[in-house]
Amino acid sequence: MSKFTAPGLSTEAADEVARILQERLSALNDLHLTLKHIHWNVVGANFIGVHEMIDPQVELVRGYADTLAERIATLGSSPNGTAKAIETDRSWSDYSIGRDTAQAHLGALDLVYDGFITSHRDAIEKIGEIDPITEDILIGQTAELEKFQWFVRAHLESYTGELTHAGASGEKEAADAAR
């Protein structure tokens, strides 16, 4: 529990925001690792384009994690950025694709972004009722992550606007369909 917080927030409100942000911090740390894993394991005809497209996403996501950790500290709580925190806070499965083609990884990554962005939007909704400053931070992050998902989907979209892996319910199914 906080002994201090940002002016205008009760310690109870700050603790609730920090609790939500901790889960998002763990999700961002996991997303960073997933993106790096894809960067290292992508192969095939579109290797270099995807390999180089992923690095700016990695850097931005790492920066977002830092922003949320600093916001948690500003609110008077202690951010936890350990591997154990990722495991403890995780409500999602570990990324399941190893060395594979660019298309396979992008199909799976699209589903990762679906889950991540949906969870970030859920956090925006909860936090928006408590702290508009933190809500604004999450809104800005979500907008950029949605743009990155668009970059991913551009590789997977047909000329008719269909995604190669439409209807896939898991990463492996999306990877198989996108391949």
Side-chain angles (χ1 to χ4, degrees):
M1 176 159 298
S2 304
K3 302 246 190 257
F4 67 89
T5 190
L9 279 179
S10 68
T11 54
E12 294 79 20
D15 288 340
E16 176 65 11
V17 171
R19 184 191 62 72
I20 295 167
L21 288 181
Q22 178 57 54
E23 187 276 335
R24 300 312 323 152
L25 173 61
S26 291
L28 281 164
N29 284 333
D30 186 67
L31 180 59
H32 157 255
L33 293 169
T34 297
L35 289 167
K36 235 11 203 178
H37 172 84
I38 293 167
H39 174 84
W40 295 323
N41 284 286
V42 65
V43 297
N46 296 323
F47 159 77
I48 197 64
V50 172
H51 184 80
E52 290 181 352
M53 178 181 78
I54 296 293
D55 266 341
Q57 294 180 32
V58 169
E59 291 307 311
L60 194 71
V61 168
R62 286 181 69 184
Y64 286 171
D66 192 50
T67 297
L68 293 193
E70 290 170 353
R71 184 67 181 162
I72 292 168
T74 299
L75 296 173
S77 291
S78 178
N80 189 345
T82 64
K84 181 70 175 169
I86 295 171
E87 285 294 321
T88 300
D89 294 337
R90 177 180 277 179
S91 61
W92 56 91
S93 299
D94 203 19
Y95 188 75
S96 59
I97 311 300
R99 184 175 182 84
D100 213 325
T101 65
Q103 292 307 105
H105 275 294
L106 291 173
L109 180 57
D110 184 47
L111 294 188
V112 169
Y113 273 129
D114 276 350
F116 187 92
I117 290 167
T118 298
S119 295
H120 235 50
R121 284 178 166 272
D122 291 344
I124 289 166
E125 186 175 330
K126 291 174 190 166
I127 287 174
E129 299 173 10
I130 306 167
D131 180 21
I133 306 305
T134 304
E135 178 190 36
D136 187 56
I137 292 167
L138 292 174
I139 289 169
Q141 290 181 354
T142 303
E144 283 298 308
L145 292 166
E146 287 175 350
K147 182 173 76 175
F148 280 146
Q149 186 177 29
W150 169 57
F151 291 172
V152 168
R153 286 180 170 174
H155 289 268
L156 300 165
E157 185 179 3
S158 72
Y159 74 94
T160 62
E162 297 292 320
L163 292 174
T164 58
H165 60 292
S169 60
E171 292 167 4
K172 289 187 184 219
E173 186 180 339
D176 288 343
R179 229 182 261 111

